[in-house]
Amino acid sequence: MARDGRDQGVRLRDLDGDGTAELLVANETTQAVWRFEDGQWRRWLPMPGRVRFVDSEGRDAGLRLRDLDGDGRDDLVFSDATRFGVYLWRDGDAETASGWSVTALEGERPTAGQADVPMIVRAGTNNGAWFHSRHLWIQNEDTARLPDHVDRRSFEALLGKVAHMPPPRTAATIAARDARRSSMPGAIGCQ
């Protein structure tokens, strides 16, 4: 969604696996998720840690959705020139709401000696970031001195303090994972 040619930080994504997309808004003024219920959009969840899809000018702010822990749900990876965070989705139950309730990694730059997430954006543009083979890859003019000319972080490194904590396995998360795998072109089991 754009207004006067500026991205407003609105995305659609089926977060809970029910087949209906939720509305994610992450910009300078609003960070929340809405769900369509009973014929109308209702505020459902907050976004964690001041993450945003776009800055005040509608430029890329460094938020990406990616399943890091293998539970079939989208986790959040956020990184810009001043701060970073990795937030894991957990399905709710009778006592707790669903959402990105586990903070795996979070901090502000500079991060001397501390685990961090490389800058996904710089000055509102993609900093050469992509995901492949369970890694976040960064390639740009600053990575030329690194081995293979890239900065790479495994999903395990991005998971930080929770890297060895197995993701929750519920019938819903297993079904969501299997549905995503079967819908991928070339996926094993795809018919």
Side-chain angles (χ1 to χ4, degrees), residues 50-161:
R50 301 177 307 146
V51 301
R52 8 185 248 292
F53 289 118
V54 297
D55 65 14
S56 60
E57 297 177 38
R59 302 176 308 174
D60 188 350
L63 178 58
R64 303 295 188 266
L65 292 103
R66 187 68 178 198
D67 180 9
L68 298 177
D69 60 3
D71 67 354
R73 301 291 193 210
D74 285 322
D75 304 310
L76 299 180
V77 180
F78 176 80
S79 183
D80 65 14
T82 61
R83 57 197 173 83
F84 57 89
V86 175
Y87 309 95
L88 306 181
W89 179 272
R90 292 297 181 252
D91 285 321
D93 56 28
E95 289 85 39
T96 59
S98 296
W100 296 283
S101 57
V102 176
T103 301
L105 199 59
E106 189 174 57
E108 295 190 18
R109 299 186 203 287
T111 58
Q114 172 185 338
D116 71 351
V117 178
M119 276 192 291
I120 291 175
V121 297
R122 179 183 302 184
T125 62
N126 188 318
N127 198 32
W130 74 95
F131 295 94
H132 190 275
S133 303
R134 296 196 45 78
H135 281 73
L136 165 62
W137 300 81
I138 306 286
Q139 185 173 24
N140 58 46
E141 62 277 5
D142 297 327
T143 63
R145 69 190 188 304
L146 298 175
D148 302 322
H149 307 288
V150 295
D151 187 352
R152 70 195 110 213
R153 303 295 164 89
S154 68
F155 284 5
E156 185 171 286
L158 293 175
L159 290 170
K161 64 186 178 190

